[in-house]
């Protein structure tokens, strides 16, 4: 097992009725910037519950944060937050709203062009505190220190992280996911599954506990994911799926093991240039990455096939079938797994590779061996 430092300060309030506990979690006298997305929280009753819980606080609202939150939109929120002198952010929504709110928190105190936090890895030295009310389980942003932001004007999608943007608390009420469209639920399952794989399907370092944590998340998603689509009112299935998504990227299964993330980096460029949902890009890129990297991932792919999918037989056949099962699982959720399914042809590949090079993504993967040429080969397998 590799050396590691594990830290996660986020308090989780899980279950029905937990939104009411917001009043106990917010600092007394805090002026709150309430952030949300396109307005679904008004239709499903979440807004009413949240504002009732905030009745003892001054609240400034900022709605309209997009899927793949845009830098341009978030900077308007930063200006509002500064003008109103808020001192706490409450993000109500899915990963995009939470990611965007983390950027607002970091940019609030930043001197100069806040894009430097993303493009130049400018250090975050101070950030507004924030909490979240999760309405769409997928990214794990409710319990981690990561965010990904899009700049529409330059077609860039870049990540940043800082321990200062860990949510102080996150409310997870599975019943608030009942009205989500099937596409968003399916995307959430794919997102959580791929997050887990990025930390698990690398190479062995004798970390059996982390492996079994990861395998448990994957097996649970395989079992519960389809249930969430068959019966949107199945509270237990939604609860299990929501907790899987949180546990997939809160640092626990990453402790002491190598990590990949090439699928995510390649996928970000597809979203930036072609507008696909984040999870759609993951469903496209992951099977191709596993195929191209199968030699380096051989031992873990065999373990994955045996333990997660229950496969047996010759090793190469197990690898083939494990990759095929992964693709079939995504397809069974209604998430397509080839670029052509989204109207993207092979002629788009050079521009995607150029974007990777522009953003310094030239040594991807757990071994740093995914060069631009290898990324091109992965994208060719995606076609």
């Amino acid at each position: 097992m590799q050396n590691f430092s594990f830290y996660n300060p986020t308090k989780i309030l899980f279950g029905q009725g937990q939104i009411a506990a917001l009043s106990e979690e917010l600092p007394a006298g805090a002026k709150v910037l309430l952030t949300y997305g396109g307005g679904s929280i008004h239709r499903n009753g979440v807004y009413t519950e949240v504002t009732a819980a905030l009745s003892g606080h001054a609240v400034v609202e900022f709605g309209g944060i997009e899927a793949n939150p845009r830098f341009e939109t978030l900077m308007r929120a930063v200006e509002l937050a500064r003008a109103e002198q808020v001192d706490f952010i409450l993000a109500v929504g899915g990963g995009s709203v939470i990611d965007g709110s983390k950027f607002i928190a970091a940019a609030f105190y930043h001197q100069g062009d806040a894009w430097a936090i993303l493009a130049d890895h400018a250090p975050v030295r101070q950030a507004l505190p924030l909490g979240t009310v999760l309405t769409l389980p997928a990214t794990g942003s409710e319990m981690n220190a990561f965010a990904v932001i899009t700049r529409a004007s330059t077609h860039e999608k870049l990540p940043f992280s800082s321990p200062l943007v860990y949510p102080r608390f996150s409310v997870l009420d599975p019943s608030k996911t009942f009205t989500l469209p099937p596409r968003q639920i399916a995307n959430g399952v794919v997102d959580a599954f791929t997050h887990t794989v990025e930390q698990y399907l690398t190479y062995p370092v004798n970390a059996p506990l982390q492996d079994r944590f990861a395998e448990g998340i994957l097996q649970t998603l395989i079992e519960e994911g389809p249930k969430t689509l068959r019966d949107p009112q199945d509270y237990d299935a939604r609860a299990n799926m929501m907790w899987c998504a949180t546990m997939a990227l809160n640092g626990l299964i990453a402790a002491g093991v190598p990590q990949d993330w090439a699928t995510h980096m390649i996928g970000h460029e597809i979203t930036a240039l072609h507008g696909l949902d984040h999870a759609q890009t993951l469903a496209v890129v992951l099977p191709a990455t596993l195929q191209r990297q199968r030699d380096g991932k051989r031992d873990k792919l065999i373990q994955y096939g045996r333990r997660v999918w229950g496969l047996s037989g010759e090793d190469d056949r197990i690898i083939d079938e494990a990759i095929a099962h992964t693709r079939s699982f995504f397809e069974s959720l209604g998430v397509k797994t080839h670029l052509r399914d989204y109207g993207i042809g092979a002629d788009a590949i050079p521009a995607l590779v150029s974007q990777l090079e522009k953003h310094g993504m030239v040594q991807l993967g757990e071994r740093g061996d995914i060069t631009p040429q290898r990324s091109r080969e992965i994208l060719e397998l995606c076609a």
Side-chain angles (χ1 to χ4, degrees):
M1 192 188 307
Q2 298 174 342
N3 292 354
F4 66 89
S5 175
F6 177 70
Y7 169 77
N8 194 312
T10 303
K11 179 179 180 179
I12 297 294
L13 295 89
F14 193 100
Q16 287 183 287
Q18 292 281 30
I19 289 176
L22 282 174
S23 58
E24 302 170 11
E25 300 300 325
L26 290 165
K31 188 173 186 179
V32 179
L33 178 67
L34 176 63
T35 57
Y36 52 90
S40 63
I41 65 168
H42 289 283
R43 297 188 295 273
N44 61 18
V46 172
Y47 177 84
T48 300
E49 290 187 43
V50 168
T51 52
L54 295 177
S55 60
H57 293 80
V59 178
V60 179
E61 294 188 25
F62 186 88
I65 296 176
E66 309 89 351
N68 300 305
R70 295 181 179 180
F71 171 77
E72 295 86 349
T73 301
L74 301 176
M75 287 309 299
R76 294 200 301 272
V78 172
E79 293 171 6
L80 176 65
R82 289 171 175 168
E84 294 288 342
Q85 297 183 312
V86 304
D87 42 33
F88 197 94
I89 299 175
L90 181 64
V92 182
S96 292
V97 172
I98 298 171
D99 279 15
S101 299
K102 290 177 179 178
F103 178 77
I104 296 166
F108 183 87
Y109 291 107
H110 185 81
Q111 301 296 314
D113 183 3
W115 184 246
I117 296 171
L118 298 147
D120 302 325
H121 308 292
V124 177
R125 304 191 187 282
Q126 189 176 3
L128 284 172
L130 76 152
T132 87
V133 176
L134 182 68
T135 61
L136 172 57
T139 69
S141 191
E142 66 276 3
M143 200 179 182
N144 67 41
F146 307 108
V148 183
I149 308 300
T150 297
R151 189 166 195 168
S153 61
T154 56
H155 300 287
E156 294 177 276
K157 182 175 179 179
L158 299 175
F160 86 98
S161 66
S162 168
L164 296 177
V165 298
Y166 271 107
R168 300 292 179 87
F169 62 85
S170 287
V171 175
L172 281 63
D173 182 345
S175 68
K176 303 310 177 188
T177 73
F178 287 170
T179 60
L180 289 171
R183 172 173 163 176
Q184 290 185 324
I185 287 295
N187 279 351
V189 175
V190 171
D191 205 353
F193 193 98
T194 309
H195 284 162
T196 307
V197 167
E198 295 272 36
Q199 300 161 86
Y200 166 69
L201 273 180
T202 56
Y203 55 85
V205 291
N206 195 15
L209 181 58
Q210 290 91 321
D211 280 358
R212 288 189 169 90
F213 280 150
E215 290 157 1
I217 293 171
L218 295 172
Q219 290 173 316
T220 304
L221 288 169
I222 291 166
E223 293 171 359
E224 302 294 318
K227 294 179 186 177
T228 66
L229 293 172
R230 284 197 300 268
D231 181 2
Q233 305 295 315
D234 185 337
Y235 178 86
D236 290 333
R238 292 294 173 104
N240 287 321
M241 186 267 174
M242 179 176 267
W243 192 227
C244 279
T246 300
M247 295 297 289
L249 199 60
N250 67 358
L252 182 65
I253 65 172
V257 301
Q259 301 178 53
D260 185 347
W261 300 109
T263 291
H264 272 70
M265 297 304 103
I266 296 171
H268 288 169
E269 304 300 355
I270 298 173
T271 294
L273 292 184
H274 299 280
L276 270 65
D277 296 348
H278 175 58
Q280 290 173 338
T281 72
L282 302 180
V284 167
V285 178
L286 179 61
T289 300
L290 297 180
Q291 182 62 39
R292 180 59 186 83
Q293 297 295 100
R294 61 185 288 152
D295 290 341
K297 295 179 180 291
R298 182 177 180 83
D299 290 341
K300 292 301 286 287
L301 275 168
I302 295 167
Q303 179 178 313
Y304 168 65
R306 287 175 173 163
R307 292 189 183 178
V308 175
W309 293 109
L311 303 173
S312 60
E314 296 180 355
D315 289 349
D316 285 335
R317 182 176 179 181
I318 288 175
I319 293 172
D320 289 339
E321 292 185 2
I323 296 171
H325 275 64
T326 305
R327 186 184 297 279
S328 295
F329 177 58
F330 295 161
E331 293 275 355
S332 75
L333 299 170
V335 186
K336 299 300 183 182
T337 59
H338 292 93
L339 289 174
R340 60 180 176 271
D341 296 323
Y342 302 96
I344 302 172
D347 58 339
I349 292 175
L352 292 168
V353 175
S354 293
Q355 285 288 92
L356 288 166
E357 291 176 314
K358 175 183 176 181
H359 297 136
M361 305 295 175
V362 296
Q363 291 182 302
L364 297 175
E366 63 269 24
R367 291 186 171 89
D369 60 351
I370 300 181
T371 61
Q373 175 57 34
R374 191 165 293 192
S375 291
R376 182 186 301 275
E377 293 166 3
I378 289 170
L379 286 163
E380 288 171 350
L381 292 172
C382 294

